[in-house]
Structure formats: structure tokens, C-alpha cells
Amino acid sequence: GLQGVAVAVGDNLGKLEGPTQMVVICGKNEKVAKALRNRKWKGDVNVVVNGFVSNMDEWMIASDCLVTKAGPGTIAEAAIVGLPTMLSGFLPGQEAGNVPYVIDAGFGDFSKEPKKIGETVAKWMSTDGALTEMSRKATEVGRTHARATKEIAIEIASMLK
């Protein structure tokens, strides 16, 4: 779950040279938020733990990468802001196709295993140019989402006339 992924990512970031920061948005999961706030983190990683936030777009814009389940709205938002995305799970059927979509587009990866998620994120953070290239690819995908969103809004507006 969320706690295992956050611990794995935080521990792997703590192994990197220099300071790093990880923000964990726990939503309404107060039990996990409390456990993460009380945890002693290894290395030079600053961990910020939040519950529910209403400004997720701002957190995404301020981030270097995102770890999330494969929800279509979140993936579209991440692509629009050029955010490399590590997928940690998906709802069978409904979200399954989103995993190859992100991987094939080159702006993310997938694993259900917290250890692999942590290692992958740390590798992205420590490999020169990795995040930049993934961000470029996410932005390419994001342009499509932004255009489609605009076209949908125009179509809805024309129906209201």
C-alpha cells in the first residue's frame, strides 16, 4: 500500500548523494499519514506528509516525478505538466490499459513491488538526463490531452447555446 511505497521511495532517496525531498499525499488515510510523519527517515531526505489537499495540480507542477496508481485523470494531469510517472497499481479492467500507455509513451514505468518502485524512482533521480527526457515525452502526450480537453469544452459550450 501507500505506506510501503512511501517508505521504499524515501529509503532509496536517502541513499542518494545530496539532499532530496519527498512529498506524500495521503488523502484521508490518517493512519498512514501519522505513521509516515513519525518515521525516522534515513539519509538526507526531507519528507513532507500531507492528508487531503485541494491543490494537487500545484504539487504536481512542483514535483520532479510522481508515484501513483494508474487512474486516467491523474495520468492525463501528469502528462499535461510534463511529469514522469511511476505507476504502483491499477484497477483491473478499468485502468489496466493505462499501464502500457505510460510505458510505451516513455514517460513512466510500473511495478506493484514497493522495493522496485523505490529503486526505479531513485534511479530516475540519479541518472543524468533521465527525468528531462521523460518529462519531454510526458509533455508530448500532455499536449494531446490538453487539446482534447479544450475540444470537449468547446463542444459542450456549443450544446448550451
Side-chain angles (χ1 to χ4, degrees):
L2 173 61
Q3 186 172 344
V5 171
V7 168
V9 172
D11 286 351
N12 277 277
L13 292 177
K15 295 174 188 175
L16 299 179
E17 268 188 47
T20 58
Q21 178 168 279
M22 175 177 76
V23 176
V24 184
I25 309 293
C26 296
K28 296 180 181 176
N29 193 334
E30 289 300 322
K31 183 179 176 185
V32 169
K34 183 178 180 182
L36 294 175
R37 285 185 189 111
N38 292 333
R39 188 171 195 284
K40 300 292 182 217
W41 296 92
K42 301 173 186 173
D44 194 4
V45 60
N46 178 47
V47 178
V48 177
V49 179
N50 289 319
F52 178 82
V53 298
S54 59
N55 62 337
M56 189 56 125
D57 58 327
E58 294 173 21
W59 286 105
M60 285 181 159
I61 290 167
S63 298
D64 292 320
C65 72
L66 173 70
V67 179
T68 186
K69 71 176 195 67
T74 304
I75 291 170
E77 285 182 81
I80 288 168
V81 298
L83 192 56
T85 303
M86 181 70 200
L87 301 174
S88 61
F90 60 88
L91 295 176
Q94 177 178 336
E95 295 176 346
N98 298 340
V99 173
Y101 178 77
V102 168
I103 293 170
D104 294 347
F107 71 96
D109 204 348
F110 168 77
S111 178
K112 289 184 178 181
E113 299 173 32
K115 182 177 185 232
K116 182 170 187 263
I117 294 167
E119 291 169 351
T120 300
V121 170
K123 182 179 177 185
W124 292 351
M125 299 297 286
S126 62
T127 303
D128 283 345
L131 288 173
T132 302
E133 180 61 15
M134 292 170 68
S135 180
R136 184 187 65 74
K137 290 178 178 181
T139 300
E140 287 175 12
V141 171
R143 283 190 190 111
T144 302
H145 287 292
R147 272 194 306 274
T149 301
K150 184 177 178 182
E151 289 170 14
I152 291 167
I154 290 169
E155 184 67 26
I156 291 171
S158 73
M159 292 177 183
L160 299 175
K161 290 181 180 179

Coordinates of all heavy atoms in Angstrom, one line a residue, residues 98-137:
N98 N -4.0 1.7 -19.0 CA -3.2 2.9 -18.7 C -1.7 2.6 -18.5 O -0.9 3.4 -18.7 CB -3.8 3.6 -17.5 CG -5.2 4.1 -17.8 OD1 -5.6 4.2 -19.0 ND2 -5.9 4.4 -16.8
V99 N -1.4 1.4 -18.0 CA 0.0 1.0 -17.7 C 0.8 1.0 -19.0 O 1.8 1.7 -19.1 CB 0.0 -0.3 -16.9 CG1 1.5 -0.8 -16.8 CG2 -0.6 -0.2 -15.6
P100 N 0.4 0.2 -20.0 CA 1.2 0.2 -21.2 C 1.2 1.6 -21.9 O 2.2 1.9 -22.6 CB 0.6 -0.9 -22.1 CG -0.7 -1.2 -21.5 CD -0.6 -0.8 -20.1
Y101 N 0.1 2.3 -21.7 CA 0.1 3.7 -22.3 C 1.2 4.5 -21.8 O 1.9 5.2 -22.6 CB -1.3 4.3 -22.0 CG -1.5 5.7 -22.5 CD1 -1.8 5.9 -23.8 CD2 -1.4 6.8 -21.6 CE1 -2.0 7.2 -24.3 CE2 -1.6 8.1 -22.1 CZ -1.9 8.3 -23.4 OH -2.1 9.6 -23.8
V102 N 1.4 4.5 -20.5 CA 2.5 5.3 -19.9 C 3.9 4.8 -20.3 O 4.8 5.5 -20.7 CB 2.3 5.4 -18.4 CG1 3.6 6.0 -17.7 CG2 1.1 6.2 -18.0
I103 N 4.0 3.5 -20.2 CA 5.3 2.9 -20.5 C 5.7 3.1 -22.0 O 6.8 3.5 -22.3 CB 5.3 1.4 -20.1 CG1 5.2 1.2 -18.6 CG2 6.6 0.7 -20.7 CD1 4.9 -0.2 -18.2
D104 N 4.7 2.8 -22.9 CA 5.0 2.9 -24.3 C 5.3 4.3 -24.7 O 6.0 4.6 -25.7 CB 3.8 2.3 -25.1 CG 3.7 0.8 -24.9 OD1 4.6 0.1 -24.4 OD2 2.6 0.3 -25.3
A105 N 4.7 5.3 -24.0 CA 4.9 6.7 -24.4 C 6.3 7.2 -23.8 O 6.7 8.3 -24.2 CB 3.8 7.5 -23.8
G106 N 6.9 6.4 -23.0 CA 8.2 6.7 -22.5 C 8.3 7.6 -21.3 O 9.4 8.2 -21.0
F107 N 7.2 7.9 -20.6 CA 7.3 8.8 -19.5 C 7.0 8.2 -18.2 O 6.8 8.9 -17.2 CB 6.4 10.1 -19.7 CG 4.9 9.9 -19.6 CD1 4.2 10.1 -18.4 CD2 4.2 9.5 -20.7 CE1 2.8 10.0 -18.4 CE2 2.8 9.3 -20.7 CZ 2.1 9.6 -19.5
G108 N 7.2 6.8 -18.1 CA 7.0 6.2 -16.8 C 7.2 4.7 -16.8 O 7.6 4.1 -17.9
D109 N 7.0 4.1 -15.7 CA 7.2 2.7 -15.5 C 6.1 2.1 -14.6 O 5.3 2.9 -14.0 CB 8.6 2.4 -15.0 CG 9.0 1.0 -15.3 OD1 8.2 0.1 -15.8 OD2 10.2 0.7 -15.2
F110 N 6.1 0.8 -14.3 CA 5.1 0.2 -13.5 C 5.7 -0.9 -12.6 O 6.5 -1.7 -13.1 CB 3.9 -0.4 -14.3 CG 3.0 -1.2 -13.5 CD1 2.1 -0.7 -12.6 CD2 3.1 -2.6 -13.6 CE1 1.3 -1.5 -11.9 CE2 2.3 -3.4 -12.8 CZ 1.4 -2.9 -12.0
S111 N 5.3 -0.9 -11.4 CA 5.6 -2.1 -10.5 C 4.6 -2.0 -9.4 O 4.3 -0.9 -8.9 CB 7.0 -2.1 -10.0 OG 7.2 -3.2 -9.2
K112 N 4.2 -3.2 -8.9 CA 3.4 -3.3 -7.7 C 4.3 -3.5 -6.5 O 3.8 -3.4 -5.3 CB 2.4 -4.4 -7.8 CG 1.3 -4.2 -8.7 CD 0.3 -5.3 -8.7 CE -0.9 -5.1 -9.6 NZ -1.9 -6.1 -9.6
E113 N 5.6 -3.7 -6.7 CA 6.5 -4.0 -5.6 C 7.2 -2.7 -5.1 O 7.9 -2.1 -5.8 CB 7.6 -5.0 -6.1 CG 7.1 -6.3 -6.6 CD 8.2 -7.1 -7.2 OE1 9.4 -7.0 -6.8 OE2 7.9 -7.9 -8.2
P114 N 6.9 -2.4 -3.8 CA 7.5 -1.2 -3.3 C 9.0 -1.1 -3.4 O 9.5 0.0 -3.8 CB 7.1 -1.2 -1.8 CG 5.8 -2.0 -1.8 CD 6.0 -3.0 -2.8
K115 N 9.7 -2.2 -3.3 CA 11.2 -2.1 -3.4 C 11.6 -1.7 -4.8 O 12.4 -0.8 -5.0 CB 11.8 -3.5 -3.1 CG 13.3 -3.6 -3.1 CD 13.8 -4.9 -2.8 CE 15.3 -4.9 -2.7 NZ 15.9 -5.9 -3.5
K116 N 10.9 -2.3 -5.8 CA 11.3 -1.9 -7.2 C 10.9 -0.4 -7.5 O 11.6 0.3 -8.2 CB 10.6 -2.8 -8.2 CG 11.0 -2.5 -9.6 CD 10.6 -3.5 -10.6 CE 11.1 -3.2 -12.0 NZ 10.2 -2.5 -12.9
I117 N 9.7 0.0 -6.9 CA 9.3 1.4 -7.1 C 10.3 2.3 -6.6 O 10.7 3.3 -7.2 CB 7.9 1.6 -6.5 CG1 6.8 0.8 -7.2 CG2 7.5 3.1 -6.5 CD1 5.5 0.7 -6.5
G118 N 10.8 2.1 -5.3 CA 11.8 2.9 -4.7 C 13.1 2.9 -5.5 O 13.7 4.0 -5.7
E119 N 13.5 1.8 -6.0 CA 14.8 1.7 -6.8 C 14.6 2.5 -8.1 O 15.5 3.2 -8.5 CB 15.1 0.2 -7.0 CG 15.6 -0.5 -5.8 CD 15.7 -2.0 -5.9 OE1 15.3 -2.5 -7.0 OE2 16.2 -2.6 -5.0
T120 N 13.5 2.3 -8.7 CA 13.2 3.0 -10.0 C 13.2 4.5 -9.9 O 13.9 5.2 -10.6 CB 11.9 2.5 -10.6 OG1 12.0 1.1 -10.8 CG2 11.7 3.2 -12.0
V121 N 12.5 5.0 -8.9 CA 12.5 6.4 -8.7 C 13.9 7.0 -8.3 O 14.3 8.0 -8.9 CB 11.5 6.8 -7.6 CG1 11.6 8.3 -7.2 CG2 10.0 6.5 -8.0
A122 N 14.6 6.3 -7.5 CA 16.0 6.7 -7.2 C 16.9 6.7 -8.4 O 17.7 7.6 -8.6 CB 16.6 5.9 -6.1
K123 N 16.7 5.7 -9.2 CA 17.5 5.7 -10.5 C 17.2 6.8 -11.4 O 18.1 7.5 -11.9 CB 17.2 4.3 -11.2 CG 18.0 4.2 -12.5 CD 17.8 2.8 -13.1 CE 18.5 2.7 -14.4 NZ 18.2 1.5 -15.2
W124 N 15.9 7.1 -11.5 CA 15.5 8.3 -12.3 C 16.1 9.6 -11.8 O 16.6 10.4 -12.5 CB 14.0 8.5 -12.3 CG 13.2 7.5 -13.0 CD1 13.6 6.4 -13.8 CD2 11.8 7.3 -13.0 NE1 12.6 5.7 -14.3 CE2 11.4 6.2 -13.8 CE3 10.7 8.1 -12.4 CZ2 10.1 5.8 -14.0 CZ3 9.4 7.7 -12.6 CH2 9.1 6.6 -13.4
M125 N 16.1 9.7 -10.5 CA 16.6 10.9 -9.8 C 18.1 11.1 -10.0 O 18.7 12.2 -10.0 CB 16.2 11.0 -8.3 CG 14.7 11.0 -8.1 SD 13.9 12.4 -8.7 CE 14.4 13.6 -7.5
S126 N 18.8 9.9 -10.1 CA 20.3 10.0 -10.1 C 20.9 9.8 -11.4 O 22.1 9.8 -11.6 CB 20.8 8.9 -9.1 OG 20.4 7.6 -9.5
T127 N 20.1 9.6 -12.5 CA 20.6 9.4 -13.8 C 20.5 10.7 -14.6 O 19.4 11.2 -14.8 CB 19.9 8.2 -14.5 OG1 20.0 7.0 -13.8 CG2 20.4 8.0 -15.9
D128 N 21.7 11.2 -15.0 CA 21.7 12.5 -15.8 C 20.8 12.4 -17.0 O 20.9 11.5 -17.8 CB 23.1 12.8 -16.2 CG 24.0 13.4 -15.1 OD1 23.4 13.7 -14.1 OD2 25.2 13.4 -15.3
G129 N 19.9 13.3 -17.1 CA 19.0 13.5 -18.2 C 17.8 12.6 -18.2 O 16.9 12.7 -19.1
A130 N 17.7 11.6 -17.3 CA 16.5 10.7 -17.3 C 15.2 11.4 -17.1 O 14.3 11.2 -17.9 CB 16.7 9.6 -16.3
L131 N 15.1 12.2 -16.1 CA 13.9 12.9 -15.8 C 13.6 13.9 -16.9 O 12.4 14.1 -17.3 CB 13.9 13.6 -14.5 CG 13.9 12.7 -13.3 CD1 14.1 13.5 -12.0 CD2 12.5 12.0 -13.2
T132 N 14.6 14.6 -17.4 CA 14.4 15.6 -18.5 C 13.8 14.9 -19.7 O 12.8 15.4 -20.3 CB 15.7 16.3 -18.9 OG1 16.2 16.9 -17.7 CG2 15.5 17.3 -20.0
E133 N 14.3 13.8 -20.1 CA 13.8 13.1 -21.3 C 12.4 12.5 -21.1 O 11.5 12.7 -21.9 CB 14.8 11.9 -21.7 CG 14.3 11.1 -22.9 CD 14.2 11.9 -24.2 OE1 14.7 13.0 -24.3 OE2 13.6 11.4 -25.1
M134 N 12.1 12.0 -19.9 CA 10.8 11.5 -19.6 C 9.8 12.7 -19.5 O 8.7 12.5 -20.0 CB 10.8 10.7 -18.3 CG 11.6 9.4 -18.4 SD 11.8 8.6 -16.8 CE 10.2 8.2 -16.4
S135 N 10.2 13.8 -19.0 CA 9.4 15.0 -18.9 C 9.0 15.4 -20.4 O 7.9 15.8 -20.6 CB 10.0 16.1 -18.2 OG 9.2 17.2 -18.1
R136 N 10.0 15.4 -21.2 CA 9.8 15.8 -22.6 C 8.7 14.9 -23.3 O 7.8 15.4 -23.9 CB 11.1 15.8 -23.4 CG 10.9 16.2 -24.9 CD 12.2 16.0 -25.7 NE 12.5 14.6 -25.9 CZ 11.8 13.8 -26.7 NH1 10.8 14.2 -27.4 NH2 12.2 12.5 -26.8
K137 N 8.8 13.6 -23.0 CA 7.9 12.6 -23.6 C 6.5 12.8 -23.0 O 5.5 12.7 -23.7 CB 8.4 11.2 -23.4 CG 9.6 10.9 -24.3 CD 10.1 9.6 -24.1 CE 11.3 9.3 -25.0 NZ 11.9 8.0 -24.9

